[in-house]
Amino acid sequence: MTAQTHEGRVAVVTGAAGGFGQAFCVGLAERGADIVAVDIDDSSETVALVEKLGRRAMAFGADLADPSSVSDLGERVRAEFGRCDILVNNAGIYPNRPFDEMDYEFWRRIQAVNLDSQFLMTKAVVGLMKQNGWGRIVNITSNSITLAVHGVTHYLASKMGVIGFTRGLATDLAGFGITVNAVGPTLTPSRAWDVRGLPAALVEATVQKQAIKRPGEVSDVVGIIAFLSSDDAAFITGQTIMADGGLARL
Ligand SMILES: NC(=O)c1ccc[n+]([C@@H]2O[C@H](COP(=O)([O-])OP(=O)(O)OC[C@H]3O[C@@H](n4cnc5c(N)ncnc54)[C@H](O)[C@@H]3O)[C@@H](O)[C@H]2O)c1
């Protein structure tokens, strides 16, 4: 039985329909949080999993590349739950494309979904956190920023941006009792990889460079999100934790 460390908290999680995001919703709900599941896709499966745990859940459909899609999110959360304590900015896309083959439209879409969305989501709920003088924001980056991988210029730019955003925001929000940290998972089976197929050679090469010689799992990251969004992490802010078996040393 997981300790109820998040009892009474309300967590907004993006990219909540599957992959890491769904696991974060379930992990936070197991610890007592109610959940707002934000995704461009149908989050009803996630909502059902959270409700099965006896917690409240609300699905919020949004294309996070479109600022207007989250313009009423804060009000909806206030009306439904009256508060927002935790924001996990997890939504992200990572199509592989060599620099020569990408146009500006493609570049902008990646930055919008992976980085701009974190700005928009924070704007949408930070007022609710300030209202209670307590907040936890966790932004998902990637350990790939430390690796030489072809065809991901757009992705690395967005995920390095997440780290810069995290550091700056941590300073600006510290006076409101809000911490901001980033977590970088490694190559991990998820819905995106279900469609494209996890590149076995890359996984193997990555594993061999790690201190812990096995591929990452979604469950490796859930506890880190839970910790960073708990009372126990009150004195940690602006940090990036790589959940990658000891591959990157920041
Ligand atoms: N799985 C990995 O290997 C891996 C490694 C490092 C970092 N990450 C990061 O983890 C995060 C989650 O990825 P995942 O592997 O779980 O992928 P996933 O595809 O399983 O989940 C991503 C979710 O984001 C949603 N989403 C995509 N575009 C959106 C948009 N415009 N608006 C709203 N929602 C949108 C998708 O519908 C999906 O539910 C991403 O930020 C990704 O960059 C993943």
Side-chain angles (χ1 to χ4, degrees):
M1 182 77 182
T2 307
Q4 296 292 288
T5 48
H6 291 60
E7 191 83 52
R9 302 289 184 206
V10 173
V12 176
V13 180
T14 70
F20 278 112
Q22 183 176 83
F24 298 158
C25 291
V26 171
L28 293 172
E30 281 172 344
R31 290 162 174 82
D34 293 331
I35 302 292
V36 179
V38 182
D39 207 294
I40 195 171
D41 214 344
D42 177 12
S43 296
S44 54
E45 185 181 292
T46 302
V47 166
L49 289 170
V50 168
E51 288 177 345
K52 211 169 148 194
L53 292 164
R55 308 311 320 177
R56 292 176 64 205
M58 176 177 101
F60 187 92
D63 175 359
L64 294 173
D66 174 4
S68 69
S69 73
V70 290
S71 54
D72 67 341
L73 175 66
E75 264 320 302
R76 286 277 309 281
V77 175
R78 187 196 300 276
E80 196 69 29
F81 296 96
R83 61 190 297 139
C84 175
D85 307 286
I86 297 162
L87 168 63
V88 184
N89 278 315
N90 163 74
I93 49 176
Y94 39 94
N96 198 280
R97 191 168 298 185
F99 181 72
D100 281 351
E101 294 170 24
M102 80 177 71
D103 58 17
Y104 183 65
E105 194 185 343
F106 174 83
W107 167 269
R108 274 308 319 150
R109 175 90 192 162
I110 304 299
Q111 308 314 313
V113 177
N114 293 1
L115 178 58
D116 300 357
S117 69
Q118 300 197 356
F119 167 86
L120 294 170
M121 287 298 302
T122 304
K123 281 281 185 190
V125 302
V126 74
L128 290 170
M129 292 180 178
K130 286 179 177 174
Q131 173 184 289
N132 295 327
W134 196 99
R136 297 285 182 267
I137 300 174
V138 185
N139 300 324
I140 300 301
T141 178
S142 168
N143 84 324
S144 59
I145 60 160
T146 67
L147 306 173
V149 183
H150 288 287
V152 289
T153 313
H154 49 296
Y155 184 66
L156 300 188
S158 70
K159 292 300 187 181
M160 286 297 281
V162 167
I163 293 175
F165 176 62
T166 300
R167 290 183 183 172
L169 197 62
T171 306
D172 282 9
L173 297 184
F176 300 99
I178 301 170
T179 67
V180 190
N181 292 288
V183 177
T186 188
L187 283 170
T188 306
S190 70
R191 289 199 314 169
W193 288 122
D194 286 347
V195 176
R196 286 159 53 196
L198 250 173
L202 182 59
V203 173
E204 186 49 30
T206 306
V207 166
Q208 285 317 315
K209 287 184 213 143
Q210 294 167 193
I212 300 168
K213 308 247 181 259
R214 66 159 175 81
E217 293 170 14
V218 167
S219 58
D220 290 321
V221 188
V222 174
I224 302 170
I225 301 296
F227 168 66
L228 289 174
S229 61
S230 72
D231 274 321
D232 286 340
F235 203 49
I236 300 173
T237 198
Q239 304 303 309
T240 298
I241 295 180
M242 291 296 175
D244 65 358
L247 186 140
R249 316 286 161 92
L250 290 187

